[in-house]
Amino acid sequence: MTRATYYLVRALVALVAIPFHEAGHALAAWLLGDPTAKREGRLSLNPFAHFDLLGTLCMVFAGVGWAKPVSTNPRNFKNPKWGMALTALAGPVANIVLAYLAMVLWKVMYYWAPVNQATYYLAYFLQYMVLMNVSLAVFNFIPVPPLDGSRILLVALPQRAYFGLMKYERYIMIALLAAVWMGLLDTPLYYLNNAVWDLLSAGTGYIDRIAYSVYYTAAGTVV
C-alpha cells in the first residue's frame, strides 16, 4: 500500500469517526434536556457540521487532532454536573460503538468475503476504523482539559477545584499536544488501546466461533 493510499484511508475514516464522536455529544445533550447543539446543527453525521480544518489535518497527518466544540448550556440539565459528565462521556462511547460495528464487519469479511483488491482495501478501511475509533475514545478519556475525561472528572472533583483547573485549559492543552508529539504518552496509550481492542475482540468472538463451526462442519462433511 502506498503512503498516499494510507493517508487517504485515514482521511476517509476521520470523515466517519469524528462526526460520530461529536454527534454523540449532541445527542446526549439533547436527550438530557439541552437543545443547544441540536439547534446549531450538530446533531448530524455530516462531517462539515463538525470539522475544524486544522484539527482534521492534524488528525490525518499527526495522529491527534480536534473538531469544533459542541456547545452545551448546563442550565438546561436537571442536574448540571451529571448532565455535563454524561454528555462528555457520550462522545467516546459513540466511538467504541462504531469500533465494535467495524470489527464485526471486518471479521465477517475476513472469514467469508472473496479475496480481491476491492475487499482488501475495504478490510483495511474497516481495520483502521477500529483503530482510529479506539484511539479517539481512549485519548478523550484522559482526565485533563479540554478532553472529555475532564468533564467526566467534574462528577468527582469539588466544583471549586474543577473550575480552578479549567482556568489553565489552554496551557494544559498545549502541554498535552507537546507530550503526544514528543511520544511521552506512546507507551500508556499503546497498552490502553490494546486493552480496548482485546475487549472488542472478545465481544465479537461469536463470529470466530461461528466461522470455525462452519469450517469444521464442512471439513467433517468432506471427510
Side-chain angles (χ1 to χ4, degrees):
M1 180 176 293
T2 66
R3 197 157 187 82
T5 303
Y6 168 73
Y7 284 118
L8 176 61
V9 170
R10 286 177 66 105
L12 292 174
V13 170
L15 283 170
V16 181
I18 293 176
F20 252 80
H21 182 98
E22 301 304 328
H25 289 314
L27 177 61
W30 180 57
L31 292 175
L32 290 167
D34 178 23
T36 305
K38 185 175 185 295
R39 284 199 303 262
E40 293 179 356
R42 303 301 298 277
L43 187 52
S44 168
L45 294 179
N46 177 2
F48 297 105
H50 306 287
F51 277 173
D52 175 280
L53 180 58
L54 179 59
T56 303
L57 291 174
C58 287
M59 174 70 73
V60 173
F61 294 104
V64 60
W66 58 90
K68 291 190 295 187
V70 172
S71 300
T72 54
N73 185 346
R75 289 175 294 182
N76 289 327
F77 297 129
K78 291 181 180 178
N79 185 320
K81 181 180 283 191
W82 277 100
M84 290 295 290
L86 292 173
T87 297
L89 179 64
V93 167
N95 287 128
I96 294 296
V97 170
L98 188 55
Y100 177 84
L101 295 175
M103 183 171 281
V104 168
L105 293 174
W106 178 47
K107 285 190 173 185
V108 168
M109 287 196 64
Y110 177 81
Y111 289 115
W112 292 292
V115 179
N116 56 50
Q117 195 168 25
T119 56
Y120 168 79
Y121 284 115
L122 182 55
Y124 184 77
F125 172 83
L126 291 170
Q127 184 184 27
Y128 206 86
M129 180 72 74
V130 180
L131 288 169
M132 182 176 283
N133 277 281
V134 167
S135 296
L136 272 172
V138 168
F139 187 74
N140 273 282
F141 272 128
I142 298 175
V144 298
L147 302 179
D148 296 326
S150 68
R151 270 67 178 179
I152 299 169
L153 190 64
L154 174 62
V155 174
L157 281 181
Q159 194 168 13
R160 178 177 294 181
Y162 175 78
F163 285 108
L165 180 66
M166 291 299 291
K167 287 193 300 185
Y168 303 100
E169 179 176 359
R170 179 176 299 179
Y171 305 106
I172 294 172
M173 180 180 179
I174 293 171
L176 179 65
L177 291 175
V180 170
W181 287 328
M182 292 170 63
L184 300 179
L185 298 179
D186 285 357
T187 299
L189 289 176
Y190 170 80
Y191 285 109
L192 289 169
N193 287 340
N194 279 354
V196 176
W197 178 283
D198 290 342
L199 287 172
L200 292 173
S201 185
T204 55
Y206 61 91
I207 299 173
D208 304 303
R209 292 190 290 273
I210 292 171
Y212 294 149
S213 296
V214 170
Y215 172 79
Y216 287 123
T217 299
T221 302
V222 171
V223 172

